[in-house]
């Protein structure tokens, strides 16, 4: 009696795992421009791009620090810092997690554990508690999250509380 150990590699067709990084950038320093104007600068210890799958994405597992520039105030950038970030290419959807800190170019500071940005809808949102410090020093807490325009010109907080002055409120809101 003779036995043989052979592996048939033809049966594994189509079962290859394609969910691996196709590009890895160490000490990334990325600059994004629109018509010559710098719109964003991103730094991260490591960025991985997953392009060989149906829904490609880019991930910064060890954190990211982003400066974003507005044409109205090009010399005063806003910032986003997070311990983890992910960008879904086709959906144009971003997520940031872990001690997320956002500072607008108007010096309003937002702190939360996670935030999501739908670039197509130009909306930012979270369901986490949001702590906001306004440029005048007043504070606001959105206990059940917020939604905002992506330029932070308008935002809505859910179940909010805080210390702020009434002269900030419009006549309509008083």
């Amino acid at each position: 009696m003779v036995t043989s150990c052979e592996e048939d590699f033809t049966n594994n067709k189509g079962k290859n795992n394609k969910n691996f990084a196709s590009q890895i950038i160490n000490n990334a320093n990325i600059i994004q421009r629109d018509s010559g104007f710098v719109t964003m600068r991103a730094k991260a210890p490591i960025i991985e791009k997953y392009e060989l799958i149906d829904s490609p994405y880019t991930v910064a597992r060890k954190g990211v620090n982003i400066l974003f520039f507005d044409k109205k105030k090009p010399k005063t950038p806003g910032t986003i810092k997070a311990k983890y970030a992910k960008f879904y290419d086709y959906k144009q959807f971003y997520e940031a997690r872990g001690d997320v800190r956002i500072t607008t170019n108007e010096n309003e500071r937002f702190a939360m554990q996670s935030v999501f940005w739908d670039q197509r809808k130009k909306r930012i949102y979270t369901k986490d508690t949001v702590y906001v410090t306004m440029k005048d020093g007043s504070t606001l807490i959105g206990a059940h999250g917020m939604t905002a325009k992506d330029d932070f010109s308008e935002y809505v907080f859910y179940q909010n509380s805080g210390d702020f002055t009434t002269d900030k409120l419009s006549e309509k809101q008083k």
Side-chain angles (χ1 to χ4, degrees):
M1 181 151 82
V2 177
T3 60
S4 169
C5 293
E6 267 187 48
E7 188 175 346
D8 186 5
F9 291 108
T10 59
N11 289 338
N12 290 333
K13 283 186 179 178
K15 294 182 182 178
N16 294 337
N17 184 5
K18 295 179 183 174
N19 193 14
F20 59 89
S22 57
Q23 292 183 39
I24 299 174
I25 305 167
N26 289 306
N27 298 319
N29 186 10
I30 298 169
I31 299 172
Q32 183 178 23
R33 298 176 191 265
D34 181 11
S35 303
F37 176 76
V38 175
T39 57
M40 181 193 73
R41 289 181 186 264
K43 290 185 177 187
I46 187 166
I47 291 179
E48 301 168 327
K49 291 187 76 138
Y50 293 81
E51 301 171 300
L52 305 175
I53 55 177
D54 292 337
S55 298
Y57 63 91
T58 304
V59 66
R61 295 181 201 281
K62 294 188 177 183
V64 68
N65 184 0
I66 299 172
L67 298 174
F68 55 93
F69 297 87
D70 186 1
K71 289 184 180 182
K72 296 173 190 170
K73 284 187 152 186
K75 297 195 187 266
T76 310
T79 63
I80 299 174
K81 294 179 183 179
K83 292 183 179 179
Y84 173 91
K86 191 172 188 179
F87 171 64
Y88 298 91
D89 296 359
Y90 290 140
K91 294 180 187 178
Q92 293 184 328
F93 188 84
Y94 291 83
E95 72 177 82
R97 296 184 183 275
D99 200 23
V100 179
R101 302 282 188 249
I102 300 173
T103 303
T104 68
N105 60 3
E106 297 287 333
N107 204 27
E108 297 171 331
R109 296 183 308 264
F110 296 78
M112 63 214 76
Q113 284 304 306
S114 65
V115 69
F116 304 93
W117 175 32
D118 188 331
Q119 195 174 11
R120 289 183 181 155
K121 293 180 181 177
K122 299 185 181 226
R123 302 297 296 170
I124 293 175
Y125 62 91
T126 184
K127 291 185 178 181
D128 294 341
T129 300
V130 181
Y131 301 92
V132 184
T133 305
M134 307 305 267
K135 59 185 169 186
D136 65 359
S138 59
T139 59
L140 181 67
I141 299 170
H144 290 280
M146 73 166 199
T147 60
K149 281 189 174 181
D150 64 357
D151 63 356
F152 286 95
S153 60
E154 294 177 13
Y155 36 82
V156 175
F157 295 98
Y158 302 103
Q159 289 192 352
N160 53 9
S161 64
D163 170 29
F164 53 93
T165 59
T166 58
D167 61 344
K168 286 284 195 182
L169 299 172
S170 69
E171 292 300 318
K172 193 181 217 182
Q173 292 173 321
K174 287 183 183 179

